[in-house]
Amino acid sequence: MLSARMKRFDCLPVRLRACSGALLLVPLTYLFGGLLVQALHEPRLQPWLWLLPAAMVATGFATGARYWLLRRKSFGTISTNNVLRSVLAAIFNVVFGLLGWMQFGLIGGLLLGLCVSAVPLAVKIWRDSGADFRSLRWADLREQAVAQRRFPQ
């Protein structure tokens, strides 16, 4: 029974609408960023709020890439990437902190660590599954979207 449920989870369709939420953050951050800064009582964060949507997109891509590699049992790549991401974020935090850019060091360090560590994930996925991506057709994607429109009901 558990095996059948795990198999069902492994076949979940990709939901393209989920990534549109990150794009919605751009105008929301612009419109309501001041309220967020006031609620946090940290006005020095105001100039750095534009990095929030970029961090959300980078996090979403990296998470999706890790799930893709997890399904393909690329555990070594995932663990190496986790270490790389943490080390890079720490290095960027320290360097920007020493330069006197404290706020950018925290936010930008996280973002740069995510973006730089996402590159090896993208390369690994393209090497392993690039032919599959190149063979995709819009008609096939549309057919799957129609077939899965009531998911998970």
Side-chain angles (χ1 to χ4, degrees):
M1 179 67 125
L2 182 60
S3 176
R5 287 186 182 178
M6 290 304 287
K7 181 66 176 168
R8 181 172 179 249
F9 175 75
D10 194 43
C11 298
L12 294 176
V14 175
R15 295 178 59 191
L16 296 177
R17 283 184 285 165
C19 66
S20 64
L23 297 177
L24 186 63
L25 272 178
V26 174
L28 288 178
T29 303
Y30 179 75
L31 293 173
F32 301 110
L35 294 175
L36 178 64
V37 169
Q38 287 176 351
L40 294 174
H41 303 292
E42 191 58 58
R44 294 178 295 176
L45 288 178
Q46 180 74 35
W48 308 111
L49 283 178
W50 63 273
L51 291 172
L52 184 63
M56 293 292 293
V57 170
T59 302
F61 173 77
T63 301
R66 280 193 293 278
Y67 282 140
W68 183 274
L69 292 170
L70 186 64
R71 287 181 166 192
R72 300 225 167 359
K73 297 181 176 29
S74 297
F75 305 119
T77 302
I78 295 168
S79 61
T80 302
N81 186 266
N82 286 341
V83 171
L84 177 68
R85 184 181 70 239
S86 298
V87 168
L88 286 174
I91 288 171
F92 287 132
N93 286 344
V94 170
V95 168
F96 289 131
L98 291 174
L99 292 174
W101 301 342
M102 309 305 183
Q103 295 87 7
F104 184 73
L106 292 175
I107 301 166
L110 171 72
L111 181 60
L112 288 172
L114 279 169
C115 291
V116 172
S117 68
V119 172
L121 294 177
V123 169
K124 172 75 170 156
I125 289 171
W126 190 254
R127 283 185 185 156
D128 293 350
S129 306
D132 295 332
F133 288 121
R134 287 188 295 272
S135 69
L136 285 177
R137 297 181 329 192
W138 284 107
D140 296 337
L141 292 175
R142 190 173 30 254
E143 178 183 320
Q144 282 301 310
V146 169
Q148 302 292 336
R149 72 182 177 277
R150 293 183 179 245
F151 182 81
Q153 296 173 351

